[in-house]
Each structure stands twice: as C-alpha cells, then as structure tokens.
Amino acid sequence: MELEGRPATERFSPHALRRACATHNYERGVDLVAIQQMLGHWTVSSTMRYVRPSATFIEDAYQRAVASTLAELTGKDSTA
C-alpha cells in the first residue's frame, strides 16, 4: 500500500502490519504461544519468523540476564 504523497520507503503491507503486531506483543511480554495462536500458526518456529525484536529490547534482556546470573553467583538480590 502506498500513502498518498509519501515516499516509496514509507510503504507498508498487511504482512508488515502482522510482523509489527507480533513484535510489539512479544516486546510487551505476551507469551510466544499466545502470539502463535493469534497469528494462526501451527508451530512456534513459524511465529518466530514474524517476531523481530529491536536492538534495545535484546540489549535490555541481555543486561537483565547478566544481572540475574551475577546475583545468583554472589548470593545477592538483583533488584536491590
């Protein structure tokens, strides 16, 4: 689809909207199986092709994982 008066780089499609919706829900914490069911996929692997988390989301998840692991290793609470 094209937006009147907009450059070709701003085109979008129903498929792009599905991908954006899947990614948005995933980044907001919706369970991947729930997203799978919303999209009507038979397998989670199909759903994972739609989910494209942002670099910021990936970095934040990495930082939380590292903090949690370090807290376990040192015996400290990671929320403090």
Side-chain angles (χ1 to χ4, degrees):
M1 299 182 139
E2 291 186 41
L3 300 173
E4 189 174 318
R6 306 299 283 182
T9 57
E10 293 186 19
R11 291 182 183 160
F12 68 96
S13 67
H15 184 77
L17 186 59
R18 270 174 71 90
R19 185 179 302 277
C21 181
T23 299
H24 178 79
N25 282 306
Y26 180 75
E27 288 186 346
R28 298 305 179 271
V30 176
D31 184 65
L32 199 53
V33 174
I35 297 170
Q36 172 192 351
Q37 292 172 350
M38 283 189 284
L39 296 177
H41 292 155
W42 284 96
T43 64
V44 172
S45 62
S46 295
T47 305
M48 283 306 298
R49 287 187 225 133
Y50 277 77
V51 176
R52 302 278 171 94
S54 67
T56 303
F57 177 81
I58 293 169
E59 185 176 331
D60 289 346
Y62 174 79
Q63 293 297 332
R64 286 191 307 273
V66 168
S68 175
T69 301
L70 288 175
E72 283 182 31
L73 293 173
T74 62
K76 296 180 181 176
D77 184 9
S78 64
T79 59

